[in-house]
Amino acid sequence: MTRVLLIDDDTALSALLGEYLEQEGFAVAFAADGQGGAAAALSGAHDMVVLDVMLPGLNGVEVLRQIRQHSRIPVLMLTARGDDIDRILGLELGADDYVPKPCSPRELTARLRAILRRLQPDETSGAVAASKLIVAGLLSMNPGERTATWRGLPLELTSTEFSLLAELARNAGRVVGKQALSEQALGRPLTRFDRNIDVHISSIRQKLVHPNPAKTMILTVRGVGYQLLRED
């Protein structure tokens, strides 16, 4: 049973979301403030975190910052509808996805399950295929262990960043459309005005550093998608 920590000071909404998630087979725990939520998220007692941006005391962005200093636990942010600044900042700090508030329990559940699917090996290809290394030049990725190295050094990626980069690595040298990236890596269709992938790719670029600062390993093909270059 997947253990979800819901960090939100809106007790009525938390109760509604928690009840729905439990009916869908999740185990749910609650925290109503940022400091307590950060401590609970880092306790090792939970598998996923649902984190509201607007919290008393320590806000959700700062909570996420604390979590990412010590853990890669999947984090889904709850943001005010239309608040692009908090949304983009959360993704840049390592949030795996976001859902605008007010949100429906069904939408939240669907997003959580999409994150879970990204973390699990592909059962259709078997354990051997799931653990097979993806090698693109000096980039090496192990889907079974969800670890990666770049130029021989460990590459620290969030679960969403790993899924996106793995899809680009499988198609290294070819352009991958944003719709295909969203469906294959995020587990859901791309929605209109969705900048989720763009922000994650920007973060990956900063981690996939090329010795030549004038070069980037991931090209943007405007209006189409992204291409991972091979670097031998």
Side-chain angles (χ1 to χ4, degrees), residues 31 43 47 55 59 61-62 74 95 100 120 123 130 134-135 142 145 153 183 188 190-191 193 201 206 211:
S43 68
D47 302 308
L55 291 170
N59 66 37
V61 172
E62 290 303 316
Q120 296 170 349
E123 295 179 358
I134 303 170
V135 179
N142 187 325
E145 297 180 359
L153 297 175
E183 292 176 354
R188 58 181 175 82
L190 187 70
T191 58
F193 306 123
I201 293 294
Q206 295 176 37

Side-chain angles (χ1 to χ4, degrees), residues 65-199:
R65 197 189 306 273
Q66 286 193 13
I67 292 173
R68 281 293 170 256
Q69 287 175 352
H70 306 283
S71 173
R72 291 191 294 173
I73 185 173
V75 177
L76 183 148
M77 301 286 286
L78 297 178
T79 66
R81 188 173 298 277
D83 193 345
D84 289 336
I85 295 177
D86 282 339
R87 187 174 304 161
I88 292 172
L89 181 56
L91 292 173
E92 288 176 341
L93 289 173
D96 292 272
D97 203 351
Y98 66 84
V99 174
K101 293 177 72 175
C103 64
S104 72
R106 179 177 296 179
E107 172 69 7
L108 177 63
T109 303
R111 294 295 184 93
L112 290 176
R113 284 185 169 147
I115 293 173
L116 284 175
R117 285 195 297 272
R118 300 201 293 269
L119 295 174
Q120 296 170 349
D122 185 357
E123 295 179 358
T124 62
S125 59
V128 174
S131 62
K132 186 177 180 181
L133 289 177
I134 303 170
V135 179
L138 298 177
L139 172 67
S140 178
M141 307 186 72
N142 187 325
E145 297 180 359
R146 296 190 73 79
T147 57
T149 61
W150 166 240
R151 305 183 71 84
L153 297 175
L155 187 61
E156 293 294 327
L157 300 166
T158 67
S159 64
T160 299
E161 290 170 355
F162 186 96
S163 297
L164 285 168
L165 184 55
E167 189 63 24
L168 290 175
R170 291 187 184 98
N171 296 278
R174 300 192 296 270
V175 178
V176 182
K178 289 180 66 174
Q179 183 64 252
L181 269 178
S182 186
E183 292 176 354
Q184 295 297 321
L186 303 186
R188 58 181 175 82
L190 187 70
T191 58
R192 193 179 182 188
F193 306 123
D194 189 344
R195 292 196 57 199
N196 199 328
I197 289 178
D198 302 320
V199 178

